[in-house]
Amino acid sequence: MISAVVGLSAVTVEAAAAQDFDAVLAAPDDPDLNLDFARRAADAGDLNGAAGALERVLIADPNRHAARLLYAVILYRLDDLQGARDQLDLLEPVTLTPLQRAEATRYRARIERSRSTTRFSGSLSAAVTYEEDAAGALTTQFDSIVPPPVSEEGSAAVVAARFTATHDLGGAPGYAVFGSVGGYDRSTFDNIDGDVRRGDIEAGLSYTGRLNSWNISAVARTLDLLGDPYMREVGAKARVSWRTSNATTLTVSGEAASQTFDEPAVDAVALIIGGDRDGWRYDVNVGLTHRLDARSSMGVSAGWQAKEADYEPFGYSGPGVQARYDTATRRGQYLAISGGVQWLEYDAPDPVFIGVGAPAREDVRSWARVAVGAPISAFTATGATGDWRQDVGVEGALTYGTRDSLAPLADYDSWGAELRLTWRFGAAN
């Protein structure tokens, strides 16, 4: 049904575009007609068509400053940074509205950052979260062997940050080295002891070409639960993307990481049972994203996850699928819907921690998230500000998670909610 709707929408958009282009061909020197076509083409994701129409507009009427600003933005999105800069230079001596001048200044700064050999970017967010079954969510997320006695709702404050630096390699166009540092802190408000802290560091090499890109990196992560160390992992990851068309991208990614756990209950009997949870984890994913129009996209991915463990019943493997749909308005308000399912089969029955005679564990884990958000600038009269308010956004989300397990493990499901404020800065802004 979804594919039929997407196909019908594509046919409708193509038919409308053909009619618009026929009208332009009939009156190629009509600036208003070309400007209307350029806006429609840009909305549909046809940036080359929009650029051609805007060129005709500016040849016929060089003093259409709003059209020139739009042309600069289109050239920037086409990665023609020098062309975009030339158009902005032509706007320097002319009179623009305050918003137009702010947008021109904003894109000039973007161009300068993009042309720089060293670029910085990042994000900082703060959120308040609620979980219907906070205790169950914690043990399910981290596969604790000691489940909570009862379900308890709870709320928490969450702070997350990420900082990335990228440096182009001289003499090797498209190649760059990069490093990234991230952190996450969840502190509960209630009596439930559910504090979580995560940190990671990554460094690697990347390449960006016209139709493809890739990166390889080394990564290290740390995870603390309830104020104590829980897991450390060190590994490598890689990702390759191919743009099969102007609207569609295929991505293949993989990761291998050696995990070390600090679990006193397991460590105390590790010599007796023959091992613990330590071992390698592997992930492989194949994904496809498709841009439906300039402000909407959808994506699907399928993958396989495997976990080795010294104590065989802690090892598992299985497939998973995920899907996502995003759409936004001109002002920047957006809707994001995502979800996934993971099927896991454990490597052996666990007579020590689950019980003698219990079958090998099997889990079906699923999740869903629906979020709506907008930059602060969307709430102004014009819907855009050209300043920091376009980089700071507020988001509200509903979440759902579930785990179906074989007895004697209990099933789990819980609803949650989030209210988040995020500031994004750097090279992409």
Side-chain angles (χ1 to χ4, degrees):
M1 181 65 177
I2 293 176
S3 60
V5 171
V6 171
L8 180 59
S9 298
V11 170
T12 302
V13 169
E14 290 176 2
Q19 292 175 357
D20 289 342
F21 190 64
D22 288 342
V24 170
L25 287 178
D29 297 326
D30 186 330
D32 292 325
L33 189 61
N34 276 276
L35 184 56
D36 183 62
F37 175 80
R39 288 169 175 158
R40 290 174 181 269
D43 285 342
D46 181 11
L47 300 182
N48 287 311
L54 289 167
E55 287 178 3
R56 292 190 292 271
V57 169
L58 294 171
I59 290 173
D61 186 357
N63 293 321
R64 290 218 175 193
H65 306 317
R68 191 174 299 281
L69 178 58
L70 178 58
Y71 186 38
V73 173
I74 295 296
L75 292 177
Y76 172 83
R77 292 173 61 186
L78 286 169
D79 204 30
D80 182 359
L81 302 184
Q82 185 58 54
R85 187 178 186 180
D86 291 343
Q87 296 302 314
L88 293 176
D89 286 343
L90 292 174
L91 291 173
E92 277 298 307
V94 306
T95 300
L96 300 175
T97 68
L99 180 57
Q100 288 172 337
R101 180 59 66 191
E103 281 295 295
T105 301
R106 180 182 178 85
Y107 272 93
R108 184 178 291 280
R110 286 186 176 187
I111 291 169
E112 293 306 315
R113 284 195 294 265
S114 297
R115 292 164 63 95
S116 174
T117 56
T118 303
R119 300 175 297 281
F120 302 96
S121 62
S123 65
L124 176 65
S125 67
V128 177
T129 67
Y130 166 82
E131 196 73 43
E132 182 185 27
D133 182 0
L138 185 69
T139 57
T140 297
Q141 182 179 1
F142 300 108
D143 205 17
S144 171
I145 61 173
V146 182
V150 295
S151 298
E152 292 186 79
E153 63 180 1
S155 54
V158 175
V159 177
R162 179 159 298 281
F163 179 79
T164 301
T166 304
H167 180 74
D168 294 335
L169 296 179
Y175 288 87
V177 292
F178 68 92
S180 177
V181 178
Y184 172 96
D185 182 278
R186 177 182 184 271
S187 300
T188 57
F189 292 141
D190 306 291
N191 293 326
I192 299 173
D193 192 2
D195 293 352
V196 177
R197 290 180 179 85
R198 292 196 300 259
D200 68 85
I201 184 169
E202 180 179 0
L205 175 70
S206 68
Y207 170 79
T208 302
R210 190 174 66 88
L211 296 177
N212 68 294
S213 63
W214 57 260
N215 64 70
I216 54 174
S217 60
V219 62
R221 301 185 183 95
T222 179
L223 169 65
D224 294 347
L225 293 182
L226 315 181
D228 295 319
Y230 178 69
M231 187 269 291
R232 305 290 183 267
E233 68 177 10
V234 178
K237 57 192 295 188
R239 175 187 174 99
V240 182
S241 294
W242 296 271
R243 196 173 68 187
T244 60
S245 71
N246 285 335
T248 305
T249 301
L250 174 67
T251 301
V252 178
S253 62
E255 180 174 331
S258 175
Q259 297 181 318
T260 302
F261 290 83
D262 186 351
E263 296 178 296
V266 178
D267 296 338
V269 297
L271 291 177
I272 300 173
I273 64 178
D276 52 21
R277 202 186 297 268
D278 294 355
W280 282 84
R281 175 184 59 80
Y282 305 95
D283 286 284
V284 177
N285 284 277
V286 178
L288 191 70
T289 59
H290 180 73
R291 188 180 66 242
L292 303 175
D293 54 46
R295 297 184 180 86
S296 300
S297 64
M298 62 186 302
V300 294
S301 66
W304 184 270
Q305 182 180 128
K307 167 75 172 78
E308 297 177 348
D310 295 336
Y311 179 56
E312 191 177 7
F314 284 154
Y316 57 78
S317 62
V321 295
Q322 297 186 56
R324 183 180 182 92
Y325 171 76
D326 301 272
T327 186
T329 69
R330 284 181 177 274
R331 287 173 169 256
Q333 300 103 321
Y334 63 86
L335 167 68
I337 304 172
S338 56
V341 183
Q342 183 87 47
W343 295 268
L344 298 177
E345 293 186 2
Y346 284 69
D347 294 344
D350 186 354
V352 177
F353 298 104
I354 295 182
V356 176
R361 180 176 171 184
E362 296 181 8
D363 283 2
V364 179
R365 307 181 184 190
S366 57
W367 61 274
R369 188 174 190 271
V370 178
V372 293
I376 293 177
S377 58
F379 302 102
T380 63
T382 58
T385 58
D387 57 18
W388 63 269
R389 287 171 289 181
Q390 292 187 199
D391 301 329
V392 178
V394 60
E395 178 182 277
L398 291 177
T399 61
Y400 179 71
T402 179
R403 184 190 72 189
D404 295 327
S405 302
L406 295 177
L409 290 177
D411 294 341
Y412 157 85
D413 69 273
S414 178
W415 290 93
E418 302 175 3
L419 181 61
R420 185 179 305 274
L421 186 69
T422 301
W423 172 42
R424 292 182 174 85
F425 55 90
N429 293 291

mmCIF file of all heavy atoms in Angstrom, residues 112-158:
data_model
loop_
_atom_site.group_PDB
_atom_site.id
_atom_site.type_symbol
_atom_site.label_atom_id
_atom_site.label_comp_id
_atom_site.label_asym_id
_atom_site.label_seq_id
_atom_site.Cartn_x
_atom_site.Cartn_y
_atom_site.Cartn_z
ATOM 1 N N GLU A 112 32.101 29.635 4.049
ATOM 2 C CA GLU A 112 33.455 29.784 4.579
ATOM 3 C C GLU A 112 33.842 28.568 5.407
ATOM 4 O O GLU A 112 34.984 28.093 5.342
ATOM 5 C CB GLU A 112 33.572 31.063 5.413
ATOM 6 C CG GLU A 112 33.433 32.343 4.594
ATOM 7 C CD GLU A 112 34.394 32.375 3.423
ATOM 8 O OE1 GLU A 112 35.585 32.047 3.605
ATOM 9 O OE2 GLU A 112 33.959 32.724 2.303
ATOM 10 N N ARG A 113 32.886 28.036 6.206
ATOM 11 C CA ARG A 113 33.187 26.839 6.989
ATOM 12 C C ARG A 113 33.423 25.639 6.071
ATOM 13 O O ARG A 113 34.309 24.817 6.313
ATOM 14 C CB ARG A 113 32.057 26.544 7.969
ATOM 15 C CG ARG A 113 32.034 27.463 9.187
ATOM 16 C CD ARG A 113 31.157 26.912 10.266
ATOM 17 N NE ARG A 113 29.749 26.867 9.890
ATOM 18 C CZ ARG A 113 28.861 27.798 10.182
ATOM 19 N NH1 ARG A 113 29.247 28.880 10.846
ATOM 20 N NH2 ARG A 113 27.593 27.677 9.828
ATOM 21 N N SER A 114 32.619 25.530 5.011
ATOM 22 C CA SER A 114 32.759 24.394 4.090
ATOM 23 C C SER A 114 34.082 24.453 3.341
ATOM 24 O O SER A 114 34.654 23.423 2.991
ATOM 25 C CB SER A 114 31.595 24.368 3.096
ATOM 26 O OG SER A 114 30.359 24.182 3.762
ATOM 27 N N ARG A 115 34.561 25.667 3.044
ATOM 28 C CA ARG A 115 35.822 25.833 2.299
ATOM 29 C C ARG A 115 37.034 25.663 3.205
ATOM 30 O O ARG A 115 38.151 25.489 2.715
ATOM 31 C CB ARG A 115 35.855 27.209 1.628
ATOM 32 C CG ARG A 115 34.836 27.347 0.500
ATOM 33 C CD ARG A 115 34.638 28.807 0.140
ATOM 34 N NE ARG A 115 35.839 29.428 -0.359
ATOM 35 C CZ ARG A 115 36.151 29.548 -1.651
ATOM 36 N NH1 ARG A 115 35.334 29.075 -2.569
ATOM 37 N NH2 ARG A 115 37.259 30.144 -2.036
ATOM 38 N N SER A 116 36.834 25.728 4.508
ATOM 39 C CA SER A 116 37.947 25.601 5.438
ATOM 40 C C SER A 116 38.473 24.168 5.453
ATOM 41 O O SER A 116 37.712 23.208 5.324
ATOM 42 C CB SER A 116 37.499 25.995 6.847
ATOM 43 O OG SER A 116 38.512 25.742 7.791
ATOM 44 N N THR A 117 39.778 24.008 5.617
ATOM 45 C CA THR A 117 40.358 22.668 5.665
ATOM 46 C C THR A 117 40.069 21.978 6.997
ATOM 47 O O THR A 117 40.146 20.751 7.083
ATOM 48 C CB THR A 117 41.872 22.728 5.450
ATOM 49 O OG1 THR A 117 42.453 23.599 6.427
ATOM 50 C CG2 THR A 117 42.190 23.253 4.053
ATOM 51 N N THR A 118 39.758 22.763 8.032
ATOM 52 C CA THR A 118 39.412 22.198 9.340
ATOM 53 C C THR A 118 38.040 22.703 9.750
ATOM 54 O O THR A 118 37.802 23.913 9.752
ATOM 55 C CB THR A 118 40.452 22.584 10.404
ATOM 56 O OG1 THR A 118 41.749 22.141 9.985
ATOM 57 C CG2 THR A 118 40.118 21.946 11.740
ATOM 58 N N ARG A 119 37.146 21.779 10.058
ATOM 59 C CA ARG A 119 35.765 22.136 10.384
ATOM 60 C C ARG A 119 35.355 21.503 11.709
ATOM 61 O O ARG A 119 35.789 20.396 12.045
ATOM 62 C CB ARG A 119 34.818 21.671 9.275
ATOM 63 C CG ARG A 119 35.135 22.299 7.930
ATOM 64 C CD ARG A 119 34.271 21.722 6.827
ATOM 65 N NE ARG A 119 34.493 20.293 6.609
ATOM 66 C CZ ARG A 119 35.515 19.801 5.934
ATOM 67 N NH1 ARG A 119 36.430 20.623 5.426
ATOM 68 N NH2 ARG A 119 35.638 18.498 5.761
ATOM 69 N N PHE A 120 34.493 22.224 12.431
ATOM 70 C CA PHE A 120 33.989 21.744 13.710
ATOM 71 C C PHE A 120 32.468 21.754 13.689
ATOM 72 O O PHE A 120 31.854 22.652 13.099
ATOM 73 C CB PHE A 120 34.497 22.628 14.857
ATOM 74 C CG PHE A 120 35.995 22.722 14.947
ATOM 75 C CD1 PHE A 120 36.668 23.784 14.365
ATOM 76 C CD2 PHE A 120 36.727 21.739 15.584
ATOM 77 C CE1 PHE A 120 38.048 23.872 14.430
ATOM 78 C CE2 PHE A 120 38.111 21.815 15.659
ATOM 79 C CZ PHE A 120 38.771 22.890 15.081
ATOM 80 N N SER A 121 31.882 20.784 14.318
ATOM 81 C CA SER A 121 30.426 20.735 14.421
ATOM 82 C C SER A 121 30.051 19.948 15.676
ATOM 83 O O SER A 121 30.889 19.255 16.275
ATOM 84 C CB SER A 121 29.809 20.069 13.181
ATOM 85 O OG SER A 121 30.241 18.729 13.063
ATOM 86 N N GLY A 122 28.795 20.045 16.044
ATOM 87 C CA GLY A 122 28.377 19.310 17.229
ATOM 88 C C GLY A 122 26.951 19.605 17.612
ATOM 89 O O GLY A 122 26.220 20.320 16.913
ATOM 90 N N SER A 123 26.552 19.038 18.725
ATOM 91 C CA SER A 123 25.207 19.255 19.250
ATOM 92 C C SER A 123 25.230 19.129 20.760
ATOM 93 O O SER A 123 26.078 18.430 21.339
ATOM 94 C CB SER A 123 24.214 18.241 18.650
ATOM 95 O OG SER A 123 24.539 16.920 19.053
ATOM 96 N N LEU A 124 24.280 19.808 21.386
ATOM 97 C CA LEU A 124 24.102 19.751 22.832
ATOM 98 C C LEU A 124 22.608 19.731 23.104
ATOM 99 O O LEU A 124 21.873 20.561 22.554
ATOM 100 C CB LEU A 124 24.754 20.971 23.504
ATOM 101 C CG LEU A 124 24.569 21.108 25.022
ATOM 102 C CD1 LEU A 124 25.253 19.954 25.743
ATOM 103 C CD2 LEU A 124 25.116 22.447 25.503
ATOM 104 N N SER A 125 22.144 18.775 23.901
ATOM 105 C CA SER A 125 20.710 18.677 24.159
ATOM 106 C C SER A 125 20.444 18.403 25.629
ATOM 107 O O SER A 125 21.262 17.802 26.334
ATOM 108 C CB SER A 125 20.078 17.569 23.299
ATOM 109 O OG SER A 125 20.539 16.293 23.695
ATOM 110 N N ALA A 126 19.273 18.857 26.073
ATOM 111 C CA ALA A 126 18.804 18.600 27.431
ATOM 112 C C ALA A 126 17.347 18.165 27.331
ATOM 113 O O ALA A 126 16.577 18.729 26.542
ATOM 114 C CB ALA A 126 18.937 19.855 28.292
ATOM 115 N N ALA A 127 16.971 17.160 28.108
ATOM 116 C CA ALA A 127 15.626 16.606 27.992
ATOM 117 C C ALA A 127 15.095 16.171 29.344
ATOM 118 O O ALA A 127 15.858 15.881 30.273
ATOM 119 C CB ALA A 127 15.623 15.410 27.031
ATOM 120 N N VAL A 128 13.781 16.121 29.410
ATOM 121 C CA VAL A 128 13.080 15.497 30.528
ATOM 122 C C VAL A 128 12.331 14.301 29.960
ATOM 123 O O VAL A 128 11.622 14.428 28.959
ATOM 124 C CB VAL A 128 12.098 16.474 31.200
ATOM 125 C CG1 VAL A 128 11.336 15.772 32.323
ATOM 126 C CG2 VAL A 128 12.844 17.684 31.751
ATOM 127 N N THR A 129 12.503 13.115 30.578
ATOM 128 C CA THR A 129 11.885 11.902 30.062
ATOM 129 C C THR A 129 11.001 11.253 31.114
ATOM 130 O O THR A 129 11.197 11.438 32.316
ATOM 131 C CB THR A 129 12.947 10.883 29.610
ATOM 132 O OG1 THR A 129 13.662 10.410 30.759
ATOM 133 C CG2 THR A 129 13.927 11.520 28.639
ATOM 134 N N TYR A 130 10.020 10.498 30.624
ATOM 135 C CA TYR A 130 9.129 9.725 31.500
ATOM 136 C C TYR A 130 9.013 8.315 30.943
ATOM 137 O O TYR A 130 8.931 8.129 29.722
ATOM 138 C CB TYR A 130 7.741 10.365 31.563
ATOM 139 C CG TYR A 130 6.688 9.453 32.160
ATOM 140 C CD1 TYR A 130 6.548 9.327 33.543
ATOM 141 C CD2 TYR A 130 5.851 8.703 31.338
ATOM 142 C CE1 TYR A 130 5.598 8.472 34.089
ATOM 143 C CE2 TYR A 130 4.898 7.849 31.875
ATOM 144 C CZ TYR A 130 4.778 7.738 33.247
ATOM 145 O OH TYR A 130 3.842 6.884 33.784
ATOM 146 N N GLU A 131 9.023 7.311 31.808
ATOM 147 C CA GLU A 131 8.882 5.922 31.405
ATOM 148 C C GLU A 131 7.836 5.251 32.280
ATOM 149 O O GLU A 131 7.892 5.335 33.506
ATOM 150 C CB GLU A 131 10.220 5.183 31.533
ATOM 151 C CG GLU A 131 10.277 3.863 30.804
ATOM 152 C CD GLU A 131 10.357 4.009 29.309
ATOM 153 O OE1 GLU A 131 11.126 4.869 28.832
ATOM 154 O OE2 GLU A 131 9.629 3.278 28.612
ATOM 155 N N GLU A 132 6.880 4.607 31.630
ATOM 156 C CA GLU A 132 5.813 3.931 32.355
ATOM 157 C C GLU A 132 6.352 2.815 33.245
ATOM 158 O O GLU A 132 5.876 2.595 34.358
ATOM 159 C CB GLU A 132 4.799 3.359 31.359
ATOM 160 C CG GLU A 132 3.607 2.666 31.995
ATOM 161 C CD GLU A 132 2.725 2.019 30.951
ATOM 162 O OE1 GLU A 132 3.237 1.659 29.858
ATOM 163 O OE2 GLU A 132 1.520 1.870 31.218
ATOM 164 N N ASP A 133 7.350 2.089 32.750
ATOM 165 C CA ASP A 133 8.019 1.050 33.531
ATOM 166 C C ASP A 133 9.514 1.323 33.476
ATOM 167 O O ASP A 133 10.251 0.719 32.693
ATOM 168 C CB ASP A 133 7.687 -0.337 32.977
ATOM 169 C CG ASP A 133 8.326 -1.463 33.803
ATOM 170 O OD1 ASP A 133 9.013 -1.150 34.789
ATOM 171 O OD2 ASP A 133 8.149 -2.637 33.431
ATOM 172 N N ALA A 134 9.963 2.261 34.299
ATOM 173 C CA ALA A 134 11.355 2.703 34.239
ATOM 174 C C ALA A 134 12.318 1.606 34.671
ATOM 175 O O ALA A 134 13.392 1.437 34.079
ATOM 176 C CB ALA A 134 11.544 3.940 35.113
ATOM 177 N N ALA A 135 11.944 0.840 35.692
ATOM 178 C CA ALA A 135 12.828 -0.227 36.166
ATOM 179 C C ALA A 135 12.965 -1.318 35.116
ATOM 180 O O ALA A 135 14.060 -1.812 34.829
ATOM 181 C CB ALA A 135 12.291 -0.810 37.471
ATOM 182 N N GLY A 136 11.859 -1.717 34.504
ATOM 183 C CA GLY A 136 11.910 -2.734 33.460
ATOM 184 C C GLY A 136 12.656 -2.261 32.239
ATOM 185 O O GLY A 136 13.383 -3.026 31.601
ATOM 186 N N ALA A 137 12.502 -0.978 31.896
ATOM 187 C CA ALA A 137 13.205 -0.428 30.737
ATOM 188 C C ALA A 137 14.707 -0.516 30.919
ATOM 189 O O ALA A 137 15.452 -0.842 29.982
ATOM 190 C CB ALA A 137 12.778 1.019 30.507
ATOM 191 N N LEU A 138 15.178 -0.264 32.127
ATOM 192 C CA LEU A 138 16.609 -0.295 32.395
ATOM 193 C C LEU A 138 17.160 -1.712 32.257
ATOM 194 O O LEU A 138 18.166 -1.936 31.580
ATOM 195 C CB LEU A 138 16.882 0.247 33.797
ATOM 196 C CG LEU A 138 18.361 0.379 34.169
ATOM 197 C CD1 LEU A 138 19.015 1.477 33.357
ATOM 198 C CD2 LEU A 138 18.507 0.672 35.660
ATOM 199 N N THR A 139 16.508 -2.694 32.881
ATOM 200 C CA THR A 139 17.021 -4.054 32.827
ATOM 201 C C THR A 139 16.899 -4.646 31.425
ATOM 202 O O THR A 139 17.723 -5.457 31.009
ATOM 203 C CB THR A 139 16.268 -4.952 33.822
ATOM 204 O OG1 THR A 139 14.866 -4.912 33.537
ATOM 205 C CG2 THR A 139 16.490 -4.475 35.239
ATOM 206 N N THR A 140 15.873 -4.238 30.673
ATOM 207 C CA THR A 140 15.713 -4.740 29.306
ATOM 208 C C THR A 140 16.758 -4.142 28.386
ATOM 209 O O THR A 140 17.360 -4.819 27.559
ATOM 210 C CB THR A 140 14.306 -4.425 28.790
ATOM 211 O OG1 THR A 140 13.346 -5.105 29.596
ATOM 212 C CG2 THR A 140 14.144 -4.883 27.357
ATOM 213 N N GLN A 141 16.994 -2.845 28.536
ATOM 214 C CA GLN A 141 17.941 -2.178 27.656
ATOM 215 C C GLN A 141 19.341 -2.751 27.784
ATOM 216 O O GLN A 141 20.060 -2.897 26.798
ATOM 217 C CB GLN A 141 17.957 -0.677 27.967
ATOM 218 C CG GLN A 141 18.879 0.131 27.071
ATOM 219 C CD GLN A 141 18.840 1.621 27.398
ATOM 220 O OE1 GLN A 141 18.127 2.049 28.311
ATOM 221 N NE2 GLN A 141 19.600 2.399 26.668
ATOM 222 N N PHE A 142 19.731 -3.107 29.024
ATOM 223 C CA PHE A 142 21.091 -3.569 29.247
ATOM 224 C C PHE A 142 21.166 -5.055 29.587
ATOM 225 O O PHE A 142 22.179 -5.540 30.049
ATOM 226 C CB PHE A 142 21.746 -2.724 30.350
ATOM 227 C CG PHE A 142 21.799 -1.270 30.002
ATOM 228 C CD1 PHE A 142 20.974 -0.351 30.631
ATOM 229 C CD2 PHE A 142 22.650 -0.815 29.013
ATOM 230 C CE1 PHE A 142 21.009 0.991 30.295
ATOM 231 C CE2 PHE A 142 22.686 0.524 28.662
ATOM 232 C CZ PHE A 142 21.866 1.428 29.309
ATOM 233 N N ASP A 143 20.060 -5.776 29.367
ATOM 234 C CA ASP A 143 20.049 -7.234 29.476
ATOM 235 C C ASP A 143 20.511 -7.703 30.854
ATOM 236 O O ASP A 143 21.288 -8.656 30.979
ATOM 237 C CB ASP A 143 20.920 -7.848 28.382
ATOM 238 C CG ASP A 143 20.492 -9.270 28.049
ATOM 239 O OD1 ASP A 143 19.370 -9.636 28.420
ATOM 240 O OD2 ASP A 143 21.278 -10.000 27.435
ATOM 241 N N SER A 144 20.022 -7.034 31.896
ATOM 242 C CA SER A 144 20.400 -7.410 33.256
ATOM 243 C C SER A 144 19.860 -8.793 33.592
ATOM 244 O O SER A 144 18.762 -9.174 33.186
ATOM 245 C CB SER A 144 19.850 -6.387 34.252
ATOM 246 O OG SER A 144 20.020 -6.836 35.580
ATOM 247 N N ILE A 145 20.627 -9.572 34.345
ATOM 248 C CA ILE A 145 20.171 -10.897 34.737
ATOM 249 C C ILE A 145 19.302 -10.855 35.990
ATOM 250 O O ILE A 145 18.737 -11.862 36.382
ATOM 251 C CB ILE A 145 21.369 -11.831 34.988
ATOM 252 C CG1 ILE A 145 22.232 -11.279 36.136
ATOM 253 C CG2 ILE A 145 22.173 -12.032 33.733
ATOM 254 C CD1 ILE A 145 23.335 -12.216 36.558
ATOM 255 N N VAL A 146 19.201 -9.686 36.621
ATOM 256 C CA VAL A 146 18.376 -9.553 37.821
ATOM 257 C C VAL A 146 17.240 -8.591 37.512
ATOM 258 O O VAL A 146 17.415 -7.372 37.546
ATOM 259 C CB VAL A 146 19.203 -9.023 39.017
ATOM 260 C CG1 VAL A 146 18.318 -8.943 40.251
ATOM 261 C CG2 VAL A 146 20.409 -9.914 39.263
ATOM 262 N N PRO A 147 16.042 -9.086 37.174
ATOM 263 C CA PRO A 147 14.925 -8.213 36.843
ATOM 264 C C PRO A 147 14.377 -7.520 38.083
ATOM 265 O O PRO A 147 14.518 -8.017 39.202
ATOM 266 C CB PRO A 147 13.892 -9.174 36.248
ATOM 267 C CG PRO A 147 14.183 -10.478 36.915
ATOM 268 C CD PRO A 147 15.676 -10.518 37.094
ATOM 269 N N PRO A 148 13.748 -6.348 37.925
ATOM 270 C CA PRO A 148 13.165 -5.649 39.069
ATOM 271 C C PRO A 148 11.975 -6.438 39.614
ATOM 272 O O PRO A 148 11.286 -7.138 38.879
ATOM 273 C CB PRO A 148 12.719 -4.309 38.474
ATOM 274 C CG PRO A 148 12.488 -4.617 37.029
ATOM 275 C CD PRO A 148 13.505 -5.646 36.668
ATOM 276 N N PRO A 149 11.708 -6.335 40.902
ATOM 277 C CA PRO A 149 10.599 -7.097 41.495
ATOM 278 C C PRO A 149 9.237 -6.643 40.996
ATOM 279 O O PRO A 149 8.323 -7.444 40.858
ATOM 280 C CB PRO A 149 10.766 -6.847 42.996
ATOM 281 C CG PRO A 149 11.539 -5.558 43.083
ATOM 282 C CD PRO A 149 12.438 -5.545 41.892
ATOM 283 N N VAL A 150 9.065 -5.349 40.747
ATOM 284 C CA VAL A 150 7.789 -4.820 40.275
ATOM 285 C C VAL A 150 8.055 -3.740 39.237
ATOM 286 O O VAL A 150 9.146 -3.191 39.156
ATOM 287 C CB VAL A 150 6.956 -4.217 41.438
ATOM 288 C CG1 VAL A 150 6.548 -5.303 42.425
ATOM 289 C CG2 VAL A 150 7.742 -3.119 42.151
ATOM 290 N N SER A 151 7.022 -3.437 38.432
ATOM 291 C CA SER A 151 7.117 -2.334 37.491
ATOM 292 C C SER A 151 6.947 -1.017 38.223
ATOM 293 O O SER A 151 6.064 -0.882 39.077
ATOM 294 C CB SER A 151 6.045 -2.469 36.411
ATOM 295 O OG SER A 151 6.233 -3.656 35.674
ATOM 296 N N GLU A 152 7.779 -0.043 37.901
ATOM 297 C CA GLU A 152 7.691 1.262 38.530
ATOM 298 C C GLU A 152 7.886 2.346 37.483
ATOM 299 O O GLU A 152 8.827 2.292 36.698
ATOM 300 C CB GLU A 152 8.753 1.417 39.624
ATOM 301 C CG GLU A 152 8.549 0.531 40.836
ATOM 302 C CD GLU A 152 9.561 0.855 41.920
ATOM 303 O OE1 GLU A 152 9.361 1.847 42.644
ATOM 304 O OE2 GLU A 152 10.560 0.133 42.023
ATOM 305 N N GLU A 153 6.982 3.312 37.474
ATOM 306 C CA GLU A 153 7.150 4.432 36.569
ATOM 307 C C GLU A 153 8.203 5.371 37.115
ATOM 308 O O GLU A 153 8.484 5.387 38.323
ATOM 309 C CB GLU A 153 5.826 5.174 36.375
ATOM 310 C CG GLU A 153 5.276 5.796 37.645
ATOM 311 C CD GLU A 153 3.968 6.517 37.406
ATOM 312 O OE1 GLU A 153 3.490 6.513 36.259
ATOM 313 O OE2 GLU A 153 3.433 7.095 38.366
ATOM 314 N N GLY A 154 8.789 6.171 36.238
ATOM 315 C CA GLY A 154 9.818 7.087 36.683
ATOM 316 C C GLY A 154 10.148 8.118 35.631
ATOM 317 O O GLY A 154 9.839 7.964 34.442
ATOM 318 N N SER A 155 10.786 9.190 36.056
ATOM 319 C CA SER A 155 11.201 10.262 35.154
ATOM 320 C C SER A 155 12.671 10.578 35.402
ATOM 321 O O SER A 155 13.241 10.209 36.428
ATOM 322 C CB SER A 155 10.340 11.513 35.357
ATOM 323 O OG SER A 155 10.340 11.904 36.725
ATOM 324 N N ALA A 156 13.269 11.263 34.442
ATOM 325 C CA ALA A 156 14.704 11.528 34.535
ATOM 326 C C ALA A 156 15.054 12.772 33.748
ATOM 327 O O ALA A 156 14.314 13.215 32.856
ATOM 328 C CB ALA A 156 15.502 10.337 34.014
ATOM 329 N N ALA A 157 16.206 13.339 34.080
ATOM 330 C CA ALA A 157 16.801 14.430 33.304
ATOM 331 C C ALA A 157 17.937 13.845 32.479
ATOM 332 O O ALA A 157 18.744 13.066 32.986
ATOM 333 C CB ALA A 157 17.325 15.521 34.223
ATOM 334 N N VAL A 158 17.987 14.199 31.196
ATOM 335 C CA VAL A 158 18.988 13.649 30.285
ATOM 336 C C VAL A 158 19.749 14.792 29.622
ATOM 337 O O VAL A 158 19.145 15.736 29.107
ATOM 338 C CB VAL A 158 18.327 12.766 29.204
ATOM 339 C CG1 VAL A 158 19.373 12.297 28.198
ATOM 340 C CG2 VAL A 158 17.625 11.575 29.840
#
